[in-house]
Coordinates of all heavy atoms in Angstrom, one line a residue:
M27 N 84.2 22.5 135.2 CA 85.1 21.9 134.2 C 85.6 23.1 133.3 O 84.9 23.9 132.8 CB 84.2 20.9 133.4 CG 84.9 20.3 132.3 SD 86.0 18.9 132.7 CE 85.0 17.9 133.6
K28 N 86.9 23.0 133.1 CA 87.6 23.9 132.3 C 87.5 23.6 130.8 O 87.5 22.4 130.4 CB 89.1 24.1 132.7 CG 89.2 24.7 134.1 CD 90.6 24.7 134.5 CE 90.9 25.3 135.9 NZ 89.9 25.0 136.8
D29 N 87.4 24.6 129.9 CA 87.3 24.4 128.5 C 88.7 24.3 128.0 O 89.8 24.4 128.7 CB 86.5 25.5 127.8 CG 87.1 26.9 127.8 OD1 88.4 27.0 128.0 OD2 86.4 27.8 127.7
N30 N 88.9 24.0 126.6 CA 90.2 23.8 126.0 C 91.1 25.0 126.2 O 92.3 24.8 126.3 CB 90.1 23.3 124.6 CG 89.5 21.9 124.5 OD1 89.6 21.2 125.4 ND2 88.9 21.6 123.4
T31 N 90.5 26.2 126.0 CA 91.3 27.4 126.2 C 91.9 27.5 127.5 O 93.1 27.8 127.7 CB 90.5 28.6 125.8 OG1 90.0 28.5 124.5 CG2 91.3 29.9 125.9
Q32 N 91.1 27.2 128.5 CA 91.6 27.3 129.9 C 92.7 26.3 130.2 O 93.7 26.5 130.9 CB 90.4 27.1 130.9 CG 89.5 28.4 130.8 CD 88.2 28.0 131.6 OE1 87.6 27.0 131.5 NE2 87.7 29.0 132.4
L33 N 92.4 25.1 129.7 CA 93.5 24.0 129.8 C 94.8 24.4 129.1 O 95.9 24.2 129.6 CB 93.0 22.7 129.2 CG 91.8 22.0 130.0 CD1 91.3 20.8 129.3 CD2 92.3 21.7 131.4
L34 N 94.7 25.0 128.0 CA 95.9 25.4 127.3 C 96.7 26.6 128.2 O 97.9 26.5 128.3 CB 95.6 26.0 125.9 CG 96.7 26.6 125.1 CD1 97.9 25.6 124.9 CD2 96.3 27.2 123.8
E35 N 95.9 27.4 128.7 CA 96.5 28.4 129.6 C 97.2 27.8 130.8 O 98.3 28.2 131.2 CB 95.5 29.5 130.1 CG 95.0 30.4 128.8 CD 96.2 31.1 128.2 OE1 97.1 31.7 128.8 OE2 96.2 31.1 126.9
L36 N 96.6 26.7 131.4 CA 97.2 26.1 132.5 C 98.5 25.3 132.1 O 99.4 25.4 132.8 CB 96.3 25.1 133.1 CG 95.1 25.7 133.9 CD1 94.1 24.7 134.5 CD2 95.6 26.5 135.1
A37 N 98.5 24.8 130.9 CA 99.7 24.1 130.4 C 100.8 25.1 130.2 O 102.0 24.9 130.5 CB 99.4 23.4 129.1
K38 N 100.4 26.3 129.7 CA 101.4 27.4 129.5 C 102.0 27.9 130.8 O 103.2 28.1 131.0 CB 100.9 28.6 128.8 CG 100.6 28.3 127.3 CD 99.9 29.6 126.6 CE 99.6 29.4 125.2 NZ 99.0 30.6 124.6
L39 N 101.1 28.0 131.8 CA 101.4 28.4 133.2 C 102.5 27.4 133.7 O 103.5 27.7 134.3 CB 100.2 28.5 134.1 CG 100.5 28.7 135.6 CD1 101.2 30.0 135.8 CD2 99.3 28.5 136.5
A40 N 102.3 26.1 133.5 CA 103.1 25.0 134.0 C 104.5 25.1 133.5 O 105.5 25.1 134.1 CB 102.5 23.7 133.7
V41 N 104.6 25.4 132.1 CA 105.9 25.6 131.4 C 106.6 26.8 132.1 O 107.8 26.8 132.4 CB 105.8 25.7 130.0 CG1 107.1 26.2 129.2 CG2 105.2 24.4 129.4
H42 N 105.8 27.9 132.1 CA 106.5 29.2 132.7 C 107.0 29.0 134.1 O 108.0 29.4 134.4 CB 105.3 30.3 132.6 CG 105.8 31.6 133.3 ND1 106.7 32.4 132.7 CD2 105.6 32.1 134.5 CE1 106.9 33.5 133.5 NE2 106.2 33.3 134.6
E43 N 106.2 28.4 134.9 CA 106.7 28.1 136.3 C 107.8 27.2 136.3 O 108.7 27.4 137.2 CB 105.5 27.6 137.1 CG 104.3 28.5 137.4 CD 104.7 29.7 138.3 OE1 105.6 29.5 139.2 OE2 104.2 30.7 138.2
A44 N 107.9 26.3 135.6 CA 109.0 25.3 135.6 C 110.3 26.0 135.2 O 111.4 25.9 135.8 CB 108.8 24.1 134.7
I45 N 110.3 26.9 134.2 CA 111.3 27.7 133.7 C 111.8 28.6 134.8 O 113.0 28.9 135.1 CB 111.1 28.4 132.4 CG1 110.8 27.4 131.2 CG2 112.2 29.3 132.0 CD1 111.9 26.4 130.9
A46 N 110.8 29.3 135.4 CA 111.1 30.3 136.5 C 111.7 29.5 137.7 O 112.5 30.2 138.4 CB 109.7 31.0 137.0
A47 N 111.4 28.3 137.9 CA 112.0 27.6 139.0 C 113.4 27.0 138.7 O 114.0 26.4 139.5 CB 111.0 26.4 139.4
G48 N 113.8 27.2 137.4 CA 115.2 26.8 137.1 C 115.4 25.8 136.1 O 116.5 25.4 135.7
A49 N 114.3 25.2 135.5 CA 114.4 24.3 134.4 C 115.0 24.9 133.2 O 114.7 26.1 132.9 CB 113.0 23.6 134.2
E50 N 115.7 24.2 132.5 CA 116.3 24.8 131.2 C 115.3 24.6 130.1 O 115.2 25.5 129.2 CB 117.5 24.0 130.8 CG 118.7 24.3 131.7 CD 119.8 23.4 131.5 OE1 119.7 22.1 131.3 OE2 121.0 23.9 131.5
F51 N 114.5 23.6 130.2 CA 113.4 23.2 129.2 C 112.3 22.7 130.0 O 112.4 22.1 130.9 CB 113.8 22.2 128.2 CG 115.1 22.6 127.5 CD1 116.3 22.0 127.8 CD2 115.1 23.5 126.4 CE1 117.5 22.4 127.2 CE2 116.2 23.8 125.7 CZ 117.4 23.2 126.1
A52 N 111.1 22.9 129.4 CA 109.9 22.3 130.0 C 108.7 22.2 128.9 O 108.8 22.9 128.0 CB 109.4 23.1 131.1
D53 N 107.9 21.2 129.2 CA 106.6 21.1 128.4 C 105.5 20.6 129.3 O 105.8 20.1 130.3 CB 106.9 20.3 127.2 CG 107.2 18.8 127.4 OD1 107.2 18.4 128.5 OD2 107.5 18.0 126.4
A54 N 104.3 20.7 128.7 CA 103.2 20.3 129.6 C 102.1 19.9 128.6 O 101.9 20.4 127.5 CB 102.7 21.4 130.5
V55 N 101.2 19.0 129.1 CA 100.1 18.6 128.3 C 98.9 18.6 129.4 O 99.0 18.1 130.5 CB 100.2 17.2 127.7 CG1 100.5 16.1 128.7 CG2 99.1 16.9 126.8
A56 N 97.7 19.1 128.9 CA 96.6 19.1 129.8 C 95.3 18.6 128.9 O 95.3 18.8 127.7 CB 96.3 20.5 130.3
G57 N 94.4 17.9 129.6 CA 93.3 17.5 128.8 C 92.2 16.9 129.7 O 92.3 17.0 130.9
T58 N 91.1 16.5 129.0 CA 90.0 15.9 129.8 C 89.8 14.4 129.5 O 90.3 14.0 128.4 CB 88.7 16.5 129.5 OG1 88.4 16.5 128.1 CG2 88.7 18.0 129.9
N59 N 89.3 13.7 130.4 CA 89.0 12.3 130.1 C 87.6 11.9 130.7 O 87.1 12.6 131.5 CB 90.1 11.4 130.7 CG 90.3 11.5 132.2 OD1 89.5 12.4 132.8 ND2 91.2 10.8 132.8
R60 N 87.1 10.8 130.2 CA 85.8 10.4 130.7 C 86.0 8.8 130.9 O 86.5 8.1 130.1 CB 84.7 10.6 129.7 CG 83.4 10.1 130.2 CD 82.3 10.6 129.3 NE 81.0 10.3 129.9 CZ 79.9 9.9 129.2 NH1 79.9 10.0 128.0 NH2 78.8 9.6 129.9
E61 N 85.5 8.4 132.1 CA 85.7 7.0 132.5 C 84.3 6.5 132.7 O 83.4 7.2 133.4 CB 86.5 6.8 133.8 CG 88.0 7.3 133.6 CD 88.7 7.0 134.9 OE1 89.2 6.0 135.0 OE2 88.8 8.0 135.6
V62 N 84.0 5.3 132.4 CA 82.7 4.6 132.6 C 83.0 3.3 133.4 O 83.8 2.6 133.0 CB 82.0 4.4 131.2 CG1 80.7 3.7 131.5 CG2 81.7 5.7 130.4
F63 N 82.3 3.2 134.5 CA 82.3 2.1 135.3 C 81.0 1.3 135.2 O 80.0 1.8 135.4 CB 82.6 2.4 136.7 CG 83.8 3.3 136.9 CD1 83.7 4.7 137.0 CD2 85.0 2.7 137.0 CE1 84.8 5.5 137.1 CE2 86.2 3.5 137.2 CZ 86.1 4.9 137.3
A64 N 81.1 0.0 134.9 CA 80.0 -0.8 134.8 C 80.1 -2.1 135.7 O 81.1 -2.7 135.8 CB 79.6 -1.3 133.4
D65 N 79.0 -2.4 136.5 CA 78.9 -3.5 137.3 C 78.0 -4.6 136.7 O 76.8 -4.2 136.7 CB 78.6 -3.1 138.8 CG 78.6 -4.3 139.8 OD1 79.3 -5.3 139.4 OD2 78.2 -4.1 140.8
V66 N 78.5 -5.6 136.3 CA 77.7 -6.7 135.7 C 77.6 -7.9 136.6 O 78.6 -8.3 137.1 CB 78.3 -7.0 134.3 CG1 77.4 -8.1 133.6 CG2 78.4 -5.8 133.4
E67 N 76.5 -8.4 136.8 CA 76.2 -9.6 137.6 C 75.3 -10.5 136.8 O 74.2 -10.1 136.4 CB 75.6 -9.2 138.9 CG 75.6 -10.3 140.0 CD 75.2 -9.8 141.3 OE1 75.9 -9.0 141.9 OE2 74.1 -10.2 141.7
N68 N 75.7 -11.7 136.7 CA 74.8 -12.8 135.9 C 74.4 -12.2 134.6 O 73.2 -12.3 134.2 CB 73.7 -13.1 136.8 CG 74.0 -13.9 138.1 OD1 75.0 -14.6 138.1 ND2 73.2 -13.6 139.2
N69 N 75.3 -11.7 133.9 CA 75.1 -11.2 132.5 C 74.0 -10.1 132.5 O 73.4 -9.7 131.4 CB 74.5 -12.3 131.6 CG 75.6 -13.3 131.2 OD1 76.8 -12.9 131.2 ND2 75.3 -14.5 131.0
S70 N 73.8 -9.4 133.6 CA 72.9 -8.2 133.7 C 73.6 -7.0 134.2 O 74.5 -7.2 135.1 CB 71.7 -8.5 134.6 OG 70.9 -9.5 134.0
L71 N 73.4 -5.9 133.7 CA 74.0 -4.7 134.2 C 73.3 -4.3 135.5 O 72.1 -4.1 135.7 CB 73.7 -3.5 133.2 CG 74.4 -2.2 133.6 CD1 75.9 -2.3 133.6 CD2 73.9 -1.1 132.5
K72 N 74.3 -4.3 136.6 CA 73.7 -4.0 137.9 C 73.8 -2.5 138.2 O 72.8 -1.9 138.8 CB 74.6 -4.8 138.9 CG 74.1 -4.7 140.3 CD 75.0 -5.6 141.2 CE 74.5 -5.5 142.6 NZ 75.5 -6.3 143.5
S73 N 74.9 -1.8 137.7 CA 75.0 -0.4 137.9 C 76.0 0.1 136.9 O 76.7 -0.6 136.3 CB 75.4 0.0 139.4 OG 76.6 -0.5 139.6
A74 N 75.9 1.4 136.6 CA 76.8 2.1 135.8 C 77.0 3.5 136.2 O 76.1 4.2 136.9 CB 76.3 2.2 134.4
E75 N 78.2 4.0 136.1 CA 78.6 5.3 136.5 C 79.6 5.9 135.6 O 80.4 5.2 135.1 CB 79.2 5.2 137.9 CG 79.5 6.5 138.6 CD 80.1 6.2 140.0 OE1 79.6 5.3 140.7 OE2 81.0 6.9 140.4
A76 N 79.5 7.2 135.3 CA 80.5 7.8 134.4 C 81.0 9.1 135.1 O 80.3 9.7 135.9 CB 79.8 8.3 133.1
E77 N 82.3 9.3 135.0 CA 83.0 10.4 135.5 C 83.8 11.1 134.5 O 84.4 10.4 133.6 CB 84.0 9.9 136.6 CG 83.3 9.3 137.8 CD 84.3 8.9 138.9 OE1 85.6 9.1 138.7 OE2 83.9 8.4 139.9
T78 N 83.8 12.4 134.6 CA 84.7 13.2 133.6 C 85.7 14.0 134.5 O 85.3 14.5 135.6 CB 83.8 14.2 132.9 OG1 82.8 13.6 132.1 CG2 84.6 15.0 132.0
G79 N 87.0 13.9 134.1 CA 87.9 14.6 134.9 C 88.9 15.4 133.9 O 88.8 15.3 132.7
Q80 N 89.9 16.0 134.6 CA 91.0 16.7 133.9 C 92.3 16.3 134.5 O 92.4 16.0 135.6 CB 90.7 18.3 134.1 CG 89.4 18.7 133.5 CD 89.1 20.1 133.7 OE1 89.3 20.6 134.8 NE2 88.6 20.8 132.8
A81 N 93.3 16.4 133.6 CA 94.6 16.1 134.1 C 95.7 16.9 133.4 O 95.4 17.4 132.2 CB 94.9 14.6 133.7
L82 N 96.8 17.1 134.0 CA 97.9 17.8 133.5 C 99.2 17.1 133.9 O 99.4 16.6 135.0 CB 97.9 19.3 134.1 CG 99.1 20.2 133.6 CD1 98.6 21.5 133.2 CD2 100.2 20.3 134.7
T83 N 100.1 17.0 132.9 CA 101.5 16.5 133.2 C 102.5 17.5 132.8 O 102.3 18.1 131.7 CB 101.7 15.2 132.4 OG1 100.8 14.2 132.9 CG2 103.1 14.7 132.6
V84 N 103.4 17.8 133.6 CA 104.5 18.8 133.2 C 105.8 18.0 133.4 O 106.0 17.3 134.2 CB 104.5 20.0 134.2 CG1 104.5 19.7 135.6 CG2 105.5 21.1 133.7
R85 N 106.6 18.3 132.3 CA 108.0 17.7 132.3 C 109.0 18.9 132.4 O 108.8 19.9 131.7 CB 108.3 16.9 131.0 CG 107.4 15.7 130.8 CD 107.9 14.8 129.7 NE 108.1 15.6 128.4 CZ 108.7 15.1 127.4 NH1 109.3 13.9 127.4 NH2 108.9 15.9 126.3
A86 N 110.0 18.7 133.2 CA 111.0 19.7 133.2 C 112.4 19.0 133.1 O 112.6 17.9 133.4 CB 111.0 20.4 134.6
F87 N 113.3 19.7 132.4 CA 114.7 19.2 132.1 C 115.7 20.2 132.6 O 115.7 21.4 132.3 CB 114.9 19.1 130.5 CG 113.9 18.1 129.9 CD1 112.6 18.4 129.6 CD2 114.3 16.8 129.8 CE1 111.7 17.6 129.0 CE2 113.4 15.8 129.2 CZ 112.2 16.3 128.9
T88 N 116.7 19.7 133.3 CA 117.8 20.5 133.9 C 119.0 19.7 133.7 O 119.2 18.6 134.2 CB 117.6 20.8 135.3 OG1 116.3 21.4 135.6 CG2 118.6 21.7 135.9
K89 N 120.0 20.3 133.0 CA 121.3 19.6 132.7 C 121.1 18.2 132.2 O 121.8 17.3 132.6 CB 122.1 19.7 134.0 CG 122.6 21.2 134.3 CD 123.4 21.2 135.5 CE 123.6 22.7 135.8 NZ 124.4 22.9 137.1
G90 N 120.1 18.0 131.4 CA 119.9 16.6 130.9 C 119.0 15.7 131.7 O 118.6 14.7 131.2
G91 N 118.8 16.1 132.9 CA 118.0 15.3 133.9 C 116.4 15.7 133.6 O 116.1 16.9 133.3
R92 N 115.6 14.7 133.8 CA 114.2 14.9 133.5 C 113.4 14.6 134.7 O 113.5 13.6 135.4 CB 113.7 14.0 132.4 CG 112.2 14.2 132.1 CD 111.7 13.2 131.1 NE 111.9 11.9 131.3 CZ 110.9 11.0 131.9 NH1 109.9 11.6 132.3 NH2 111.3 9.8 132.0
G93 N 112.5 15.5 135.1 CA 111.5 15.2 136.1 C 110.1 15.4 135.6 O 109.9 16.4 134.7
H94 N 109.1 14.7 136.0 CA 107.8 14.9 135.5 C 106.8 14.7 136.7 O 107.0 13.9 137.5 CB 107.4 14.1 134.3 CG 107.1 12.7 134.6 ND1 108.1 11.7 134.6 CD2 106.0 12.0 134.9 CE1 107.7 10.6 134.8 NE2 106.3 10.7 135.1
V95 N 105.7 15.4 136.7 CA 104.7 15.4 137.7 C 103.3 15.4 136.9 O 103.2 16.2 136.1 CB 104.8 16.4 138.7 CG1 103.6 16.5 139.7 CG2 106.0 16.4 139.6
S96 N 102.4 14.6 137.4 CA 101.1 14.5 136.8 C 100.1 14.8 137.9 O 100.2 14.3 139.1 CB 100.7 13.2 136.2 OG 101.6 12.9 135.1
I97 N 99.1 15.6 137.6 CA 98.0 15.9 138.6 C 96.7 15.7 137.9 O 96.6 15.8 136.7 CB 98.1 17.3 139.2 CG1 98.1 18.4 138.1 CG2 99.4 17.5 140.0 CD1 98.1 19.9 138.7
N98 N 95.6 15.5 138.7 CA 94.2 15.5 138.1 C 93.4 16.0 139.1 O 93.6 16.2 140.3 CB 93.9 14.1 137.6 CG 94.0 13.1 138.7 OD1 93.7 13.3 139.9 ND2 94.6 11.9 138.4
G99 N 92.1 16.4 138.6 CA 91.1 17.0 139.5 C 90.7 18.3 138.9 O 90.5 18.6 137.7
L100 N 90.6 19.3 139.8 CA 90.0 20.6 139.4 C 91.1 21.5 138.7 O 90.8 22.5 138.1 CB 89.5 21.4 140.6 CG 88.3 20.7 141.3 CD1 87.8 21.5 142.4 CD2 87.1 20.6 140.3
L101 N 92.4 21.1 138.9 CA 93.5 21.9 138.3 C 93.5 23.4 138.5 O 93.4 24.2 137.6 CB 93.5 21.6 136.8 CG 93.7 20.2 136.3 CD1 93.7 20.2 134.7 CD2 94.9 19.5 136.8
S102 N 93.7 23.7 139.7 CA 93.9 25.1 140.1 C 95.2 25.6 139.7 O 96.2 24.9 139.5 CB 93.7 25.3 141.7 OG 94.8 24.8 142.3
E103 N 95.3 26.9 139.5 CA 96.6 27.5 139.2 C 97.7 27.3 140.2 O 98.9 27.0 139.8 CB 96.5 29.0 139.0 CG 95.7 29.4 137.7 CD 95.7 30.9 137.5 OE1 96.2 31.7 138.3 OE2 94.9 31.3 136.5
Q104 N 97.4 27.2 141.5 CA 98.3 26.9 142.6 C 98.8 25.5 142.4 O 100.0 25.3 142.6 CB 97.7 27.1 143.9 CG 97.3 28.5 144.2 CD 96.0 29.0 143.6 OE1 95.3 28.2 143.1 NE2 95.6 30.3 143.8
E105 N 98.0 24.5 142.1 CA 98.3 23.2 142.0 C 99.2 22.9 140.8 O 100.3 22.3 140.8 CB 97.2 22.2 141.8 CG 96.4 22.0 143.1 CD 95.1 21.3 142.8 OE1 94.4 21.5 141.9 OE2 94.8 20.3 143.7
V106 N 98.9 23.6 139.7 CA 99.7 23.6 138.5 C 101.1 24.1 138.7 O 102.1 23.5 138.4 CB 99.0 24.2 137.3 CG1 100.0 24.4 136.1 CG2 97.8 23.5 136.9
A107 N 101.2 25.3 139.4 CA 102.5 25.9 139.7 C 103.3 25.0 140.6 O 104.5 24.9 140.4 CB 102.3 27.3 140.4
E108 N 102.7 24.4 141.5 CA 103.4 23.5 142.4 C 103.9 22.3 141.8 O 105.1 21.8 141.9 CB 102.5 23.1 143.7 CG 103.2 22.2 144.7 CD 104.4 22.7 145.3 OE1 104.6 23.9 145.5 OE2 105.3 21.9 145.7
A109 N 103.1 21.7 140.8 CA 103.5 20.5 140.1 C 104.8 20.9 139.2 O 105.6 20.1 139.1 CB 102.4 20.1 139.2
A110 N 104.8 22.1 138.6 CA 105.9 22.5 137.8 C 107.2 22.7 138.6 O 108.2 22.3 138.2 CB 105.6 23.9 137.2
R111 N 107.0 23.3 139.9 CA 108.1 23.4 140.8 C 108.7 22.0 141.2 O 109.9 21.8 141.2 CB 107.8 24.2 142.0 CG 107.7 25.7 141.6 CD 107.5 26.5 142.9 NE 106.2 26.3 143.5 CZ 105.1 27.0 143.3 NH1 105.1 27.9 142.3 NH2 104.0 26.8 144.0
Q112 N 107.8 21.0 141.4 CA 108.2 19.7 141.8 C 108.9 19.0 140.7 O 109.9 18.3 140.9 CB 107.0 18.9 142.3 CG 106.5 19.3 143.6 CD 105.2 18.5 144.0 OE1 104.7 17.8 143.1 NE2 104.6 18.8 145.2
A113 N 108.5 19.2 139.4 CA 109.0 18.6 138.3 C 110.4 19.1 138.1 O 111.4 18.4 137.8 CB 108.2 18.8 137.0
T114 N 110.6 20.5 138.3 CA 111.9 21.1 138.2 C 112.8 20.5 139.3 O 114.0 20.2 138.9 CB 111.7 22.6 138.2 OG1 110.9 23.1 137.2 CG2 113.1 23.2 138.1
E115 N 112.4 20.4 140.4 CA 113.2 19.9 141.5 C 113.7 18.4 141.2 O 114.9 18.1 141.3 CB 112.5 19.9 142.8 CG 113.2 19.4 144.0 CD 112.6 19.5 145.3 OE1 111.6 20.3 145.4 OE2 112.9 18.7 146.2
L116 N 112.8 17.6 140.7 CA 113.1 16.2 140.4 C 114.0 16.2 139.2 O 115.0 15.3 139.2 CB 111.8 15.5 140.0 CG 110.8 15.2 141.1 CD1 109.5 14.7 140.6 CD2 111.5 14.2 142.1
S117 N 113.9 17.2 138.3 CA 114.8 17.2 137.2 C 116.3 17.4 137.6 O 117.3 16.9 137.0 CB 114.4 18.1 136.0 OG 114.6 19.4 136.4
G118 N 116.4 18.3 138.6 CA 117.7 18.6 139.1 C 118.4 17.5 139.8 O 119.6 17.3 139.9
Q119 N 117.6 16.4 140.3 CA 118.1 15.3 141.1 C 118.3 14.1 140.1 O 118.9 13.1 140.5 CB 117.1 15.0 142.2 CG 117.0 16.0 143.2 CD 115.8 15.8 144.2 OE1 115.2 14.7 144.2 NE2 115.6 16.8 145.1
A120 N 117.7 14.1 139.0 CA 117.8 13.0 138.0 C 119.1 12.8 137.4 O 119.8 13.8 137.2 CB 116.7 13.2 136.9
N121 N 119.5 11.6 137.0 CA 120.6 11.3 136.3 C 120.5 11.9 134.9 O 119.4 11.8 134.3 CB 120.9 9.8 136.1 CG 121.3 9.2 137.5 OD1 121.9 9.8 138.3 ND2 120.9 8.0 137.7
P122 N 121.5 12.7 134.4 CA 121.4 13.3 133.1 C 121.4 12.3 131.9 O 122.1 11.2 132.1 CB 122.6 14.2 133.0 CG 123.5 13.9 134.1 CD 122.8 13.0 135.1
D123 N 120.6 12.5 130.9 CA 120.6 11.7 129.7 C 121.6 12.4 128.7 O 121.5 13.5 128.3 CB 119.2 11.8 129.1 CG 119.1 11.0 127.8 OD1 120.1 10.6 127.2 OD2 118.0 10.9 127.3
P124 N 122.7 11.6 128.5 CA 123.8 12.1 127.7 C 123.3 12.4 126.2 O 124.0 13.2 125.5 CB 124.9 11.1 127.7 CG 124.2 9.8 128.0 CD 123.0 10.2 128.9
D125 N 122.2 11.9 125.7 CA 121.8 12.1 124.5 C 120.7 13.3 124.3 O 120.4 13.7 123.2 CB 121.1 10.8 123.9 CG 122.1 9.7 123.8 OD1 123.3 10.0 123.4 OD2 121.7 8.6 124.0
F126 N 120.2 13.8 125.5 CA 119.3 14.8 125.4 C 119.9 16.2 124.9 O 120.9 16.6 125.5 CB 118.6 15.1 126.8 CG 117.6 16.2 126.8 CD1 116.4 16.1 126.2 CD2 118.0 17.4 127.2 CE1 115.5 17.1 126.3 CE2 117.1 18.5 127.3 CZ 115.8 18.3 126.8
R127 N 119.3 16.9 124.0 CA 119.8 18.1 123.5 C 118.8 19.3 123.8 O 119.2 20.3 124.4 CB 120.1 18.1 122.1 CG 121.1 17.1 121.7 CD 122.6 17.4 122.1 NE 123.5 16.4 121.9 CZ 124.1 15.6 122.7 NH1 123.8 15.8 124.0 NH2 125.0 14.8 122.5
T128 N 117.6 19.2 123.4 CA 116.6 20.2 123.5 C 115.2 19.7 123.2 O 115.1 18.6 122.6 CB 117.0 21.4 122.6 OG1 116.1 22.5 123.0 CG2 116.8 21.0 121.2
L129 N 114.2 20.5 123.5 CA 112.9 20.3 123.1 C 112.6 21.0 121.9 O 113.1 22.0 121.6 CB 111.9 20.6 124.3 CG 111.9 19.8 125.5 CD1 110.9 20.3 126.5 CD2 111.6 18.3 125.2
P130 N 111.6 20.5 121.1 CA 111.3 21.4 119.9 C 110.6 22.7 120.3 O 110.0 22.8 121.4 CB 110.2 20.5 119.2 CG 110.1 19.3 119.9 CD 110.9 19.3 121.1
E131 N 110.8 23.7 119.5 CA 110.2 25.0 119.7 C 108.7 25.0 119.5 O 108.2 24.2 118.6 CB 110.8 26.1 118.7 CG 112.3 26.3 119.1 CD 112.5 27.1 120.4 OE1 111.7 28.0 120.7 OE2 113.5 26.7 121.0
F132 N 108.0 25.8 120.3 CA 106.6 25.9 120.1 C 106.1 27.4 120.3 O 106.7 28.0 121.2 CB 105.8 25.0 121.3 CG 104.4 25.2 121.3 CD1 103.6 24.4 120.3 CD2 103.7 26.0 122.2 CE1 102.3 24.5 120.2 CE2 102.3 26.1 122.1 CZ 101.6 25.4 121.2
E133 N 105.3 27.8 119.4 CA 104.9 29.1 119.5 C 103.5 29.3 119.9 O 102.6 28.4 119.7 CB 105.1 29.7 118.1 CG 106.5 29.9 117.8 CD 106.6 30.6 116.4 OE1 105.8 31.4 116.0 OE2 107.7 30.3 115.7

């Protein structure tokens, strides 16, 4: 499981890869989640299971068109880079939003 610093670095990698692939603008969000599954039968808890996971979504914008790809699991650098390239490709095929101007700056 990656910590918050590692997740931030993966989000930065996604943005960098999307821009390198030709997107004019890009952003990404990465985080962890926890899911709990419970099986109840006749008002009694039959079983319970908890899972913790990680996810990343990258959005890319090209000429007003937006593409986004979400991935979850172990989040390798290769998967993140591929998701960014796919988002950029999708943004180039999307219908442009005539009202889109830019994303806010982030440092």
Side-chain angles (χ1 to χ4, degrees):
M27 179 77 54
K28 293 176 176 38
D29 65 25
N30 288 341
T31 301
Q32 292 168 314
L33 290 173
L34 178 60
E35 290 304 314
L36 287 175
K38 288 179 181 179
L39 173 65
V41 170
H42 174 78
E43 290 292 331
I45 298 298
E50 295 170 312
F51 306 98
D53 65 4
V55 61
T58 59
N59 60 357
R60 184 168 184 212
E61 297 180 89
V62 177
F63 304 95
D65 187 13
V66 178
E67 189 175 297
N68 295 328
N69 292 330
S70 295
L71 182 62
K72 188 174 178 182
S73 65
E75 184 178 321
E77 293 180 4
T78 302
Q80 298 174 319
L82 178 134
T83 297
V84 58
R85 297 188 311 165
F87 298 84
T88 305
K89 297 181 182 174
R92 177 181 61 91
H94 74 272
V95 173
S96 296
I97 57 175
N98 56 44
L100 297 177
L101 301 183
S102 72
E103 289 184 3
Q104 294 82 3
E105 289 175 315
V106 169
E108 180 60 26
R111 288 189 290 273
Q112 289 174 356
T114 302
E115 182 179 336
L116 290 170
S117 73
Q119 299 170 4
N121 290 328
D123 178 352
D125 297 323
F126 178 79
R127 298 292 177 252
T128 187
L129 292 177
E131 292 292 322
F132 177 79
E133 294 183 27

